[in-house]
């Protein structure tokens, strides 16, 4: 292709299917956060629909402008089509802000206005922390094996983006199966639909039509109106001042924003593995800045580069799909259409699109790493299963209380923990693994990949880094703490010490010859120099 004659088209026909996948992801997040804020934290509609949603839309618009520009720059530099990075509100961090910042303030004060003010203050300060990830992001990307970064994303994709929506499909099979059929046919099988219609649109449309026929979808225009985005400087200052008056809240913000900029780094790596390279530092600054802009306009919730770029790349999307999502989300937020869409599109109709994103990411990872590193990818997935169990155990206990069961012990109660252990449910181990799961998965994926490659010193350094993070509570603890030497920290130190010291004294033959494991495919290099 003649690079000088090449001109990148922002929009292509393929953007239609990609639009529906990304729009569904953003829509589900927006519907969840509005429901929780309005019905759990008792925020009035004036805050939810006139402040939070327009602020979130402004944040998404601001980020999409940057990511569209980056896609255009990359395409013209390479002389070929590229797919823009997907972008929106970070799903895991959204839940942390809901139940780790906004919720505790509301439950302590019963003041939904103050809870919202502290939320946007936390969002603004968290955006600063996320943007600072640009100082270390490029270095981390250079030293971290791809298997570690993509493996921990596969864990999130498997349990939260794949398994949960799949369960929702099976709860409403008449709706979900109809939608899933077209995802299987058009996006996974990659067969054309009549008129070359976008599979994502047909899938959601088919599910919605069936839901409407079954009386499980409705048209409700009561929430439609105009909600202009305006800055809330005074409320933002009030929230920031409250944070500094109650600094223990930073123990929630700092670890979760560390997670957020690592998530951005991982997702940029995922895009590079799919063939599109973007500057990770600039992406981290963009996510932090987008979060700060959203907070100024009323949204507490951080934005990030989304998981799933390989899926959109496979659809041959350009940048039009992210532009379309930004414009439609903004229109829905500014004119109150979200409540209308919430009633019209059932979750079971949208869920198959998310299942496809999950499957595509895992499949792409298998192609993007060398076969021997699939062991590292598998290891990086495991902490997210523990995180999933902890979330569902907590939901089960809350459901029992809501059902009127009295005298229930709290999760973590010694008697309940002992009883769970007798039944084979290792609560304490899963709890430790669930805290900072994305970082834990990345670290263990990196350790395993480096050991496979004979990069022992680098593997040891990751173990020592994990020991440091564990000692201060970034991983394996629910809050930051003063450095302490507990069993997990000690375990990391033992691993780091062995990987660093033993290769210095081990016979060279033991480091170069691999052990043959019966019934296992031999995918390792025949000889690896000790490092």
């Amino acid at each position: 292709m003649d690079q000088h004659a090449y001109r990148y088209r922002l929009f292509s026909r393929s953007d239609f299917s990609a639009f529906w996948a990304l729009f569904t992801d953003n829509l589900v997040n927006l519907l969840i956060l509005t429901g929780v804020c309005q019905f759990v934290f008792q925020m009035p509609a004036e805050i939810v629909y006139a402040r939070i949603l327009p602020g979130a839309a402004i944040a998404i618009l601001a980020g999409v402008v940057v990511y569209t520009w980056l896609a255009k720059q990359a395409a013209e530099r390479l002389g070929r089509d590229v797919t823009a990075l997907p972008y929106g509100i970070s799903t895991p961090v959204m839940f942390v802000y809901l139940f780790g910042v906004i919720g505790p303030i509301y439950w302590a004060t019963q003041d939904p206005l103050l809870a919202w003010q502290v939320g946007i203050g936390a969002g603004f300060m968290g955006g600063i922390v996320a943007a600072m990830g640009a100082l270390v992001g490029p270095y981390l990307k250079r030293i971290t094996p791809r298997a570690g970064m993509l493996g921990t994303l596969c864990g999130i994709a498997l349990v939260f983006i794949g398994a949960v929506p799949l369960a929702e499909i099976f709860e409403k099979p008449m709706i979900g199966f109809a939608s899933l059929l077209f995802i299987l046919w058009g996006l996974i099988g990659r067969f054309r639909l009549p008129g070359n219609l976008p599979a994502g649109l047909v899938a959601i449309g088919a599910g919605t039509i069936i839901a409407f026929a079954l009386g499980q979808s409705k048209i409700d225009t009561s929430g439609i109106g105009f909600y202009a985005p305006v800055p809330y400087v005074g409320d933002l200052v009030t929230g920031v001042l409250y944070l500094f008056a109650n600094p223990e809240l930073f123990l929630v913000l700092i670890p979760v924003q560390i997670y957020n900029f690592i998530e951005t780094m991982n997702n940029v790596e995922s895009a590079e593995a799919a063939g599109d390279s973007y500057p990770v530092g600039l992406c981290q600054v963009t996510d932090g800045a987008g979060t700060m802009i959203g907070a100024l306009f009323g949204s507490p919730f951080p934005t990030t580069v989304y998981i799933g770029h390989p899926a959109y790349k496979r659809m041959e999307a350009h940048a039009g799909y992210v532009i379309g999502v930004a414009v439609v989300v903004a229109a829905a937020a500014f004119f109150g259409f979200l409540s209308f869409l919430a009633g019209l599109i059932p979750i079971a109709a949208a869920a198959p699109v998310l299942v496809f994103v999950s499957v595509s990411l895992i499949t792409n990872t298998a192609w993007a790493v060398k076969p021997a590193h699939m062991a590292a990818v598998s290891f990086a997935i495991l902490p997210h299963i523990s995180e999933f169990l902890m979330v569902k155990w907590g939901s089960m206990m809350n459901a029992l209380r809501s059902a009127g069961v009295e005298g229930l012990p709290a999760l973590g109660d010694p008697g309940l923990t002992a009883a769970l252990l007798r039944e084979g449910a290792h609560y304490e181990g899963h709890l430790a693994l669930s805290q900072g799961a994305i970082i834990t998965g990345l670290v263990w994926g990196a350790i395993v990949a480096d050991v496979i490659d004979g990069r022992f010193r680098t593997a040891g350094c990751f173990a020592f880094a994990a020991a440091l993070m564990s000692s201060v509570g970034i991983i394996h603890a629910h809050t930051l703490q003063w450095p302490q030497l507990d069993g997990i920290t000690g375990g990391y130190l033992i691993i780091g010490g062995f990987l660093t010291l033993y290769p210095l004294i081990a016979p060279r033959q033991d480091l170069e010859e691999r052990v043959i494991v019966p019934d296992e495919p031999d995918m390792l290099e025949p000889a690896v120099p000790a490092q």
Side-chain angles (χ1 to χ4, degrees):
M1 181 181 290
D2 184 358
Q3 183 170 340
H4 296 289
Y6 172 81
R7 184 174 181 180
Y8 181 58
R9 292 181 297 116
L10 293 180
F11 297 89
S12 73
R13 184 177 180 83
S14 303
D15 282 302
F16 284 106
S17 288
F19 163 83
W20 285 104
L22 182 61
F23 174 69
T24 299
D25 211 346
N26 275 274
L27 178 64
V28 169
N29 280 344
L30 292 172
L31 294 179
I32 289 172
L33 70 88
T34 54
V36 171
C37 288
Q38 192 169 12
F39 301 113
V40 178
F41 303 146
Q42 304 303 313
M43 291 185 184
E46 193 276 332
I47 290 180
V48 176
Y49 291 104
R51 302 185 185 187
I52 293 178
L53 289 182
I58 289 293
I60 292 172
L61 282 169
V64 165
V65 168
V66 176
Y67 288 121
T68 300
W69 175 77
L70 285 177
K72 188 173 185 297
Q73 294 292 111
E76 292 179 352
R77 182 181 70 251
L78 298 171
R80 60 172 176 80
D81 292 341
V82 302
T83 298
L85 290 168
Y87 176 76
I89 292 174
S90 172
T91 304
V93 179
M94 176 186 75
F95 282 106
V96 173
Y97 271 66
L98 281 171
F99 297 105
V101 178
I102 298 174
I105 299 300
Y106 171 74
W107 292 319
T109 65
Q110 296 298 305
D111 185 346
L113 175 62
L114 178 63
W116 168 72
Q117 290 171 330
V118 174
I120 62 174
F124 189 84
M125 299 303 297
I128 295 175
V129 176
M132 291 175 65
L135 299 176
V136 297
Y139 172 73
L140 288 175
K141 186 173 181 294
R142 283 198 304 272
I143 67 170
T144 306
R146 176 171 288 178
M149 290 190 283
L150 298 186
T152 198
L153 289 183
C154 286
I156 298 172
L158 177 68
V159 298
F160 290 108
I161 302 177
V164 172
L166 188 61
E168 292 168 338
I169 291 169
F170 274 76
E171 288 175 346
K172 304 285 186 180
M174 291 295 292
I175 300 169
F177 278 36
S179 179
L180 183 61
L181 166 65
F182 292 104
I183 296 299
L184 176 63
W185 182 266
L187 295 183
I188 296 178
R190 305 190 75 179
F191 294 104
R192 291 183 184 275
L193 290 167
N196 202 23
L197 289 171
L201 173 61
V202 174
I204 293 176
T208 300
I209 291 171
I210 292 176
F212 200 81
L214 296 175
Q216 297 180 26
S217 178
K218 61 182 180 179
I219 296 177
D220 181 4
T221 61
S222 60
I224 294 178
F226 181 64
Y227 306 96
V230 297
Y232 296 95
V233 178
D235 293 294
L236 178 62
V237 171
T238 299
V240 171
L241 292 176
Y242 189 96
L243 284 173
F244 281 100
N246 299 271
E248 66 274 8
L249 290 172
F250 282 102
L251 300 182
V252 176
L253 293 182
I254 294 175
V256 77
Q257 288 298 349
I258 291 173
Y259 156 84
N260 207 30
F261 76 66
I262 289 178
E263 181 185 29
T264 296
M265 179 184 76
N266 291 346
N267 291 336
V268 171
E269 176 67 16
S270 174
E272 184 172 324
D276 295 340
S277 180
Y278 292 101
V280 64
L282 181 55
C283 293
Q284 289 167 320
V285 169
T286 300
D287 291 353
T291 300
M292 295 166 67
I293 292 170
L296 177 62
F297 281 85
S299 171
F301 303 105
T303 53
T304 189
V305 172
Y306 262 17
I307 192 172
H309 173 277
Y312 306 120
K313 179 74 173 177
R314 184 178 175 183
M315 295 178 191
E316 300 180 349
H318 289 198
Y321 81 108
V322 292
I323 298 172
V325 168
V327 171
V328 172
V329 166
F334 299 159
F335 294 98
F337 291 142
L338 276 170
S339 61
F340 170 77
L341 292 174
L344 183 64
I345 302 174
I347 292 177
V353 181
L354 302 182
V355 173
F356 165 70
V357 171
S358 170
V359 170
S360 182
L361 179 76
I362 296 170
T363 304
N364 185 78
T365 296
W367 285 101
V369 303
K370 58 185 181 182
H373 278 187
M374 283 306 296
V377 171
S378 302
F379 216 114
I381 289 174
L382 297 178
H384 296 282
I385 298 175
S386 294
E387 183 182 17
F388 183 73
L389 287 173
M390 292 305 303
V391 169
K392 294 307 176 183
W393 284 345
S395 298
M396 181 186 67
M397 299 299 288
N398 291 335
L400 290 172
R401 293 189 184 93
S402 298
V405 179
E406 298 180 356
L408 284 174
L411 281 175
D413 175 83
L416 178 59
T417 298
L420 286 170
L421 184 60
R422 288 193 296 271
E423 296 295 325
H426 299 269
Y427 173 81
E428 291 184 337
H430 286 304
L431 176 64
L433 276 169
S434 70
Q435 305 290 344
I438 189 168
I439 302 176
T440 302
L442 183 150
V443 167
W444 277 101
I447 291 173
V448 173
D450 283 331
V451 168
I452 290 171
D453 290 345
R455 294 161 49 90
F456 304 118
R457 285 197 299 271
T458 306
C461 287
F462 273 104
F464 287 133
L468 176 61
M469 290 187 288
S470 175
S471 72
V472 298
I474 293 175
I475 56 176
H476 309 311
H478 67 282
T479 63
L480 292 177
Q481 61 197 18
W482 290 108
Q484 62 181 36
L485 181 60
D486 56 17
I488 294 177
T489 302
Y492 280 122
L493 291 174
I494 291 172
I495 291 174
F498 177 88
L499 291 173
T500 303
L501 298 176
Y502 179 71
L504 299 177
I505 61 174
R508 186 172 182 83
Q509 183 178 3
D510 291 351
L511 300 178
E512 292 182 348
E513 294 183 2
R514 302 298 183 118
V515 176
I516 301 299
V517 179
D519 301 323
E520 287 288 331
D522 187 8
M523 298 179 293
L524 301 178
E525 300 293 336
V528 176
Q531 297 182 23

